[in-house]
Amino acid sequence: MQIEIAILLSFVAAVAGFFAGNLLRKKFAESKVTSAEEQAVKSLADAKRQAETITKEASLQAKDVVYQAKAEFERETKDKRRDLQALEKRLQQKEENLDKKMNLFDQRDADFTRREQGLFNKEQTLAQKGEKLNQLIEEEQKKLESMSGMSAAEAKKTLMEAMENEAKLDAAKLIKAIEEEARETADKKSKEIMALAIQRYAGEYVAERTVSVVALPSDEMKGRIIGREGRNIRALEAATGIDLIIDDTPEAVILSGFNPVRREVAKISLEKLIADGRIHPGRIEEVVAKATEEVELTMKEAGEQAAFDLGVHGIHPEIIKLIGRLRYRTSYSQNVYQHSLEVAFLCGIMAAELGVNVKQAKRAGLLHDLGKAVDHEVEGSHAVIGADLARKYGESPKIIHAIMAHHEDEKPNSVLAVLVQAADALSGARPGARREMMETYVKRLEDLERIATSFNGVLNSFAIQAGREIRVMVSSDEVSDERAVVLAKDVARKIEAEMTYPGQIKVNVIRETRATEYAR
């Protein structure tokens, strides 16, 4: 019973505690809700105040923006109005100027119309006067033709001939004056340079002959050279390509052939065979082979020596051999190798005096007759052959042109080409350098005199100084002093066109007036 009471009391206490807890929680919740409501009311009031503040600030900012925009618009409008007013003023001024110009154009148009009408009237008047003038000219021309006995074409031709003769006379006077002025300086200077070149170079006058002669120790050697049934001489001729002439000439054998190198090989071979004494076909072939090598070496050494003496370097080895080959080549009995060296030295001396490249001048002089080394094997002029060889072995265009032009195969267009021409003429024309046949010499003199006498007004002509000068005697009635200058040039040009000669030929035209009277 007590236990039940205790249980009941415990239950009542628990129920009472439960309700008490609920009541406390309810009161706490109510107090919390009241606090939240107050906080919310307060927050709402604060939010309203902030909203009102923001609204006022936004209203003020909007008013400020509107005011600034309004002020900016008014300023822009004012500026545009001012610009429009200025533009309107300029347009008005332009319009006024255009009106003035239109008025001026109208006035000018009226003036032009009046002038055009006046010119038209004048043109008609001039046309009428021109017709009258033509009629008068025709009438006067007919009168002049009837009075002079010549037609207008004949009178025109006569006038043109008179003007042409007068122009020729004036040209001759001018030519004479220019030549006299130039001759005082150019002729003197050129003679000084050529004389200096000749004085500074002393070349040999003696030249090798074209036929080689081998001396024999005795006439018995002739039989050994011929051999049994002529086998030795046939073997020697076959190996060298040279004809051996064994005649009654005492203790001598003549070697004849167009190739100077082969002739030299034959000469050396024969001299070695005579010195050795063993002469038979096998030995002949062996000696000829050795002599050929010896001559080839000699030619190479001669070419190298020439280049060394002149100070010319960089020449192709094949050209060096061809230069050495010229040692056995002659022209009018003048050794071409010595002639080439002489021309090279003369070119160098004259180039130094004129301020031209000396080494280039020496090179052109040395190579100018290069074609003569092979001209008996190749067709064509030796100048053209030499130019082709120089081009083949890489010589410069200036050197090639100088080689080509030294005999007028090509017109010289450089100082170097003219120097080579002058040096070649000096070397070939000096006394004793070359010899000519009497028939050729006489024919040249006759041709000179024939050319000179072929011109009108020439009385006689005389070739003097071995054909280096021709004196032309002219009639003083037909040829004036001025015409004599032109005649000298015409004779010189015809000689250049029709003749071939070494050096130069001087043409002297002589005109004299003789007054004759008899005393009785």
Side-chain angles (χ1 to χ4, degrees):
M1 188 64 174
Q2 292 178 348
I3 296 169
E4 293 178 354
I5 294 171
I7 294 171
L8 183 59
L9 290 173
S10 300
F11 178 75
V12 171
V15 171
F18 175 74
F19 281 109
N22 286 335
L23 183 61
L24 289 172
R25 284 195 295 273
K26 185 177 179 181
K27 286 183 177 181
F28 179 75
E30 287 177 354
S31 63
K32 203 169 184 180
V33 168
T34 302
S35 175
E37 289 178 353
E38 293 176 353
Q39 186 70 28
V41 172
K42 185 177 180 181
S43 297
L44 183 59
D46 294 338
K48 286 181 178 180
R49 286 195 296 273
Q50 290 178 358
E52 291 175 356
T53 303
I54 291 170
T55 302
K56 289 179 180 179
E57 291 178 353
S59 178
L60 291 173
Q61 290 178 355
K63 289 179 179 179
D64 187 29
V65 170
V66 171
Y67 176 76
Q68 291 178 356
K70 185 177 180 181
E72 182 69 22
F73 176 74
E74 289 178 354
R75 186 170 59 255
E76 290 179 356
T77 303
K78 187 177 180 180
D79 293 339
K80 288 183 178 179
R81 189 180 295 111
R82 186 170 57 254
D83 294 340
L84 289 173
Q85 289 175 354
L87 181 60
E88 184 178 1
K89 188 176 181 181
R90 288 197 298 273
L91 289 174
Q92 187 176 0
Q93 290 177 352
K94 288 184 178 180
E95 187 175 357
E96 292 175 356
N97 293 333
L98 287 174
D99 292 339
K100 292 179 181 178
K101 290 181 178 179
M102 288 297 295
N103 294 331
L104 182 61
F105 285 152
D106 291 340
Q107 293 177 2
R108 289 184 178 179
D109 189 23
D111 292 340
F112 286 149
T113 303
R114 288 195 299 272
R115 290 182 181 180
E116 185 178 3
Q117 185 63 35
L119 290 173
F120 179 73
N121 295 333
K122 288 182 179 180
E123 184 178 356
Q124 289 183 340
T125 304
L126 289 172
Q128 294 174 359
K129 290 183 178 179
E131 291 178 358
K132 293 181 180 179
L133 183 61
N134 290 333
Q135 292 176 359
L136 291 174
I137 290 173
E138 289 179 359
E139 292 175 359
E140 293 296 328
Q141 186 174 351
K142 289 179 180 178
K143 289 180 180 179
L144 289 172
E145 288 180 357
S146 61
M147 293 173 64
S148 62
M150 290 190 300
S151 64
E154 292 174 347
K156 183 178 180 181
K157 183 179 179 181
T158 303
L159 180 61
M160 289 180 64
E161 289 178 352
M163 293 179 65
E164 183 180 358
N165 292 332
E166 185 178 356
K168 286 184 177 180
L169 183 62
D170 293 339
K173 290 180 179 179
L174 181 60
I175 290 171
K176 184 177 180 181
I178 292 173
E179 285 186 346
E180 288 177 355
E181 182 180 356
R183 193 176 293 113
E184 293 179 358
T185 56
D187 192 38
K188 181 179 178 181
K189 186 65 178 174
S190 62
K191 287 180 179 178
E192 287 178 356
I193 291 174
M194 288 191 290
L196 178 64
I198 294 173
Q199 289 172 0
R200 291 175 58 183
Y201 179 77
E204 296 182 1
Y205 282 68
V206 181
E208 294 181 0
R209 302 288 179 176
T210 57
V211 178
S212 300
V213 178
V214 179
L216 302 178
S218 63
D219 288 338
E220 296 178 357
M221 186 61 68
K222 292 182 180 180
R224 299 182 60 185
I225 293 173
I226 296 172
R228 182 179 297 176
E229 298 178 355
R231 62 177 185 174
N232 289 346
I233 192 172
R234 286 198 301 271
L236 190 58
E237 289 179 344
T240 60
I242 297 298
D243 295 330
L244 273 72
I245 301 174
I246 302 176
D247 53 14
D248 295 335
T249 305
E251 299 179 354
V253 173
I254 299 174
L255 305 178
S256 176
F258 291 104
N259 192 317
V261 177
R262 289 183 179 178
R263 193 169 63 248
E264 183 66 17
V265 170
K267 180 181 178 182
I268 295 174
S269 301
L270 188 57
E271 289 175 349
K272 287 186 175 182
L273 288 170
I274 293 170
D276 185 40
R278 294 176 294 169
I279 304 176
H280 54 82
R283 179 62 178 166
I284 289 172
E285 292 180 359
E286 180 183 348
V287 171
V288 168
K290 290 182 179 180
T292 302
E293 293 178 359
E294 183 179 336
V295 171
E296 291 289 339
L297 181 61
T298 303
M299 290 191 297
K300 182 180 177 182
E301 290 176 351
E304 292 173 349
Q305 186 64 40
F308 177 78
D309 291 342
L310 293 170
V312 178
H313 305 291
I315 299 178
H316 195 278
E318 291 299 324
I319 294 183
I320 290 290
K321 291 180 182 178
L322 292 174
I323 293 171
R325 192 183 185 95
L326 294 175
R327 183 177 181 180
Y328 304 107
R329 176 73 159 82
T330 58
S331 177
Y332 293 100
S333 77
Q334 185 181 26
N335 185 276
V336 180
Y337 177 80
Q338 295 296 333
H339 167 68
S340 298
L341 286 175
E342 187 172 327
V343 170
F345 279 116
L346 292 173
C347 277
I349 294 169
M350 290 190 288
E353 292 296 322
L354 295 174
V356 183
N357 189 320
V358 175
K359 288 189 176 180
Q360 195 174 55
K362 287 184 177 181
R363 192 185 195 97
L366 179 63
L367 303 182
H368 82 284
D369 271 347
L370 189 66
K372 287 187 177 180
V374 293
D375 62 349
H376 56 286
E377 301 172 359
V378 182
E379 293 183 359
S381 166
H382 75 273
V384 177
I385 297 170
D388 292 340
L389 289 171
R391 187 181 296 108
K392 177 181 178 182
Y393 294 116
E395 289 295 327
S396 67
K398 289 184 178 180
I399 302 295
I400 296 170
H401 170 69
I403 296 172
M404 178 76 79
H406 84 276
H407 278 317
E408 297 291 344
D409 292 273
E410 186 175 277
K411 186 175 180 62
N413 58 13
S414 65
V415 177
L416 184 63
V418 176
L419 282 179
V420 173
Q421 274 190 340
D424 182 52
L426 284 173
S427 176
R430 59 182 173 80
R434 296 182 177 182
R435 59 185 179 88
E436 296 179 291
M437 294 180 64
M438 180 58 67
E439 293 82 359
T440 305
Y441 172 74
V442 173
K443 187 177 184 305
R444 187 174 71 184
L445 299 184
E446 291 176 350
D447 289 342
L448 281 174
E449 294 178 353
R450 174 184 56 79
I451 290 172
T453 53
S454 65
F455 289 87
N456 294 329
V458 177
L459 299 176
N460 210 337
S461 62
F462 305 95
I464 61 176
Q465 294 186 5
R468 302 295 180 189
E469 180 181 350
I470 181 166
R471 293 185 179 178
V472 184
M473 313 296 293
V474 297
S475 171
S476 59
D477 296 333
E478 299 181 24
V479 181
S480 63
D481 287 339
E482 290 76 16
R483 174 61 184 162
V485 177
V486 179
L487 179 62
K489 287 186 174 295
D490 293 341
V491 172
R493 298 293 175 270
K494 192 169 183 180
I495 291 172
E496 290 176 356
E498 297 184 7
M499 293 185 62
T500 302
Y501 51 89
Q504 63 181 12
I505 298 175
K506 182 179 181 181
V507 179
N508 275 332
V509 175
I510 301 173
R511 174 183 180 270
E512 63 177 355
T513 303
R514 296 185 181 184
T516 305
E517 185 60 42
Y518 297 95
R520 296 182 178 84

